[in-house]
Amino acid sequence: MRQLLLLILFLALFFRFNHLNWDQSYHLHPDERFLTMVGQAMQLPKNFEEYFNQKQSLLNPFNIGFNFYVYGIFPLVLTKYLAASFGMDSYNEFTLLGRFLSALVDFLTVILVYKTAKLLFEKYKNVSRSMLQVIPLFSALFYAVSVYPIQSSHFFTADTFLNFFMFGSFYLILKDYNVSRLTFNFFISSVFFSLALASKISALYILPLNLGVLSLIKVIKTFFNKESFFKKQSLFMIFLAVFFVGLYLVVSYFFLRLFNPYYFDSPSFFNINLNKNFSESIKLLTLLSNSDAWYPPAVQWMNKPWYGLLLTTFFAGLGPINFIVMLIGLISLLISLKSKVKNQKLHLRIKSLIILSIILWVFGYFIYQSLQFVKSIRYTIYLYPFFAIFGGIGMSVIS
């Protein structure tokens, strides 16, 4: 099994790092070109005080001539520091370094997919022992060869960073499955979530799943017994759930202030007002993302059917074969959950609820995004690790 995993990881490396200079330094990707321009204009701060000063820091896009900026700053700042350290702070080399980092974090996502599938189905009685051994490998393979993640890893954008940190925050929550107390994983998950937010504000979409799974693990497992899902300590259970959720949010907020202070209007930790330039940029983007605006990049979405995103995922995101395999795995998993969840022990019942939460979150977000005017596949990149797990189950069923 270890040899197969190494082979899958080698395959993932090859697909992601092969021909990173695909456009021969012509900078053909518009968002990537924009980030490179911002990164080139940035200047490293002289000290921490300057870094945290939103009005003075030259890492803040709004201080260096870019009055419209809707991304997070972390991928750019990371690339800027590395470019300065390795003498790659030129227009062409900055982009190539950014692509290298993008490919690296997407490769690390392959490893997270493997480890997450292993956690989800380890000792899971809804699945046969032979399937338990291959589902994590098949899941990693599925993600390693999925079309859209490979394509995204060749672009220096915030998307791959966002995907890695979002999925990593979920994995670290899940890792505490057998633990009812606060652990190091709980705090690292909140750090990963803050890094996802610092990469792109749309990381907020993973929050309901993280907090839902956190509640299932920390609260239900502590206070629900084997015979019943309800106990007299329900009020205390609710208080504990609120405490865990609140602590997670506070820790995430603290690290977000470290990784992207430019989301906010003031260096003060207690001032949660958003940077006015950033909030105005988000409002403008929202106004441009509708059929009435006739904004050139959004014209392509006019008169697109509600199932347009589904077709894009089928033909381009996963490809027809992978999509069908993923669908087989999803159906198989739903049948398994329905048939056995009532007869399981408490810890297995909770694991089934976690898996059901994942399915509902994936379905809910995909439907939500399908109903938006802009049905870009890039807004679904953080679903692909979960698609891969469903696909891993499908591959194990077919094999």
Side-chain angles (χ1 to χ4, degrees):
M1 290 294 179
R2 181 175 296 180
Q3 289 82 355
L4 288 174
L5 178 60
L6 290 174
L7 183 61
I8 291 169
L9 294 179
F10 176 79
L11 190 66
L13 281 170
F14 173 76
F15 282 139
R16 280 152 181 79
F17 287 94
N18 181 43
H19 201 33
L20 286 179
N21 193 17
W22 51 270
D23 60 347
Q24 299 179 344
S25 297
Y26 279 98
H27 301 269
L28 298 180
H29 192 294
D31 292 334
E32 179 185 69
R33 185 169 61 248
F34 174 72
L35 288 183
T36 300
M37 292 166 61
V38 176
Q40 282 284 281
M42 285 178 168
Q43 296 182 34
L44 299 180
K46 300 175 183 178
N47 49 52
F48 283 110
E49 183 179 356
E50 183 180 329
Y51 171 78
F52 286 108
N53 191 317
Q54 288 89 342
K55 308 299 181 184
Q56 294 182 1
S57 175
L58 297 181
L59 292 177
N60 187 346
F62 301 111
N63 293 338
I64 51 177
F66 296 92
N67 296 321
F68 178 79
Y69 190 86
V70 296
Y71 302 106
I73 207 70
F74 177 76
L76 265 183
V77 171
L78 174 65
T79 307
K80 184 68 175 182
Y81 272 98
L82 290 175
S85 300
F86 293 101
M88 299 182 67
D89 200 7
S90 64
Y91 188 63
N92 290 335
E93 289 183 311
F94 192 89
T95 299
L96 290 177
L97 177 60
R99 289 180 183 176
F100 176 87
L101 294 174
S102 181
L104 178 61
V105 293
D106 199 62
F107 169 73
L108 294 176
T109 305
V110 178
I111 299 174
L112 281 181
V113 167
Y114 171 80
K115 295 175 77 66
T116 302
K118 194 172 182 180
L119 276 176
L120 280 173
F121 300 105
E122 188 178 31
K123 300 177 182 178
Y124 188 57
K125 292 185 179 180
N126 283 10
V127 181
S128 65
R129 178 173 294 182
S130 59
M131 289 175 66
L132 286 175
Q133 295 176 344
V134 297
I135 286 176
L137 288 171
F138 281 151
S139 298
L141 176 62
F142 192 96
Y143 189 85
V145 301
S146 290
V147 178
Y148 185 60
I150 294 172
Q151 183 189 56
S152 293
S153 64
H154 282 74
F155 302 149
F156 173 40
T157 61
D159 298 330
T160 50
F161 295 88
L162 172 72
N163 186 33
F164 170 69
F165 290 121
M166 283 178 71
F167 192 64
S169 70
F170 171 77
Y171 164 73
L172 289 161
I173 286 287
L174 189 66
K175 200 172 181 182
D176 273 356
Y177 167 67
N178 288 316
V179 183
S180 299
R181 64 184 184 279
L182 284 176
T183 68
F184 188 63
N185 291 324
F186 171 89
F187 292 100
I188 298 301
S189 172
S190 63
V191 172
F192 265 62
F193 175 64
S194 68
L195 284 166
L197 274 176
S199 300
K200 204 172 182 180
I201 198 69
S202 51
L204 286 169
Y205 288 118
I206 198 70
L207 192 58
L209 181 61
N210 280 2
L211 298 182
V213 171
L214 173 66
S215 300
L216 284 170
I217 293 173
K218 300 294 187 186
V219 180
I220 295 179
K221 192 165 186 178
T222 304
F223 290 97
F224 289 179
N225 57 29
K226 296 180 180 179
E227 290 77 25
S228 172
F229 268 102
F230 299 97
K231 294 184 74 174
K232 293 181 180 179
Q233 299 97 324
S234 56
L235 289 177
F236 182 69
M237 182 192 71
I238 294 173
F239 169 78
L240 193 66
V242 172
F243 170 76
F244 280 125
V245 167
L247 183 60
Y248 190 88
L249 294 175
V250 168
V251 175
S252 299
Y253 172 70
F254 173 79
F255 282 99
L256 179 61
R257 299 295 304 232
L258 296 180
F259 298 129
N260 192 350
Y262 314 121
Y263 275 153
F264 302 95
D265 193 48
S266 166
S268 172
F269 180 85
F270 300 100
N271 186 342
I272 62 173
N273 292 327
L274 290 179
N275 182 308
K276 293 179 181 178
N277 291 317
F278 178 73
S279 58
E280 288 298 321
S281 295
I282 295 294
K283 290 178 183 177
L284 179 58
L285 180 65
T286 303
L287 289 173
L288 295 175
S289 300
N290 64 72
S291 58
D292 297 327
W294 282 88
Y295 180 51
V299 169
Q300 60 181 308
W301 306 112
M302 295 181 68
N303 300 319
K304 293 288 184 180
W306 63 267
Y307 52 84
L309 183 58
L310 183 65
L311 291 178
T312 305
T313 306
F314 180 84
F315 287 109
L318 290 173
I321 295 177
N322 275 13
F323 187 92
I324 293 170
V325 171
M326 184 266 291
L327 199 60
I328 291 172
L330 180 58
I331 293 171
S332 173
L333 185 58
L334 285 169
I335 293 172
S336 179
L337 285 172
K338 181 180 178 181
S339 63
K340 295 184 179 181
V341 68
K342 293 182 180 179
N343 300 319
Q344 293 175 345
K345 295 180 180 179
L346 178 62
H347 71 284
L348 293 175
R349 207 181 295 181
I350 293 174
K351 183 169 280 191
S352 294
L353 289 173
I354 290 172
I355 294 171
L356 182 60
S357 299
I358 293 171
I359 295 172
L360 291 174
W361 181 81
V362 170
F363 263 96
Y365 179 77
F366 194 88
I367 292 171
Y368 165 78
Q369 195 57 50
S370 297
L371 297 177
Q372 302 303 303
F373 171 69
V374 177
K375 298 175 175 61
S376 176
I377 195 175
R378 71 182 298 182
Y379 298 144
T380 64
I381 188 170
Y382 26 86
L383 300 183
Y384 279 75
F386 298 102
F387 288 163
I389 293 173
F390 300 152
I393 298 170
M395 293 171 73
S396 66
V397 170
I398 294 172
S399 63

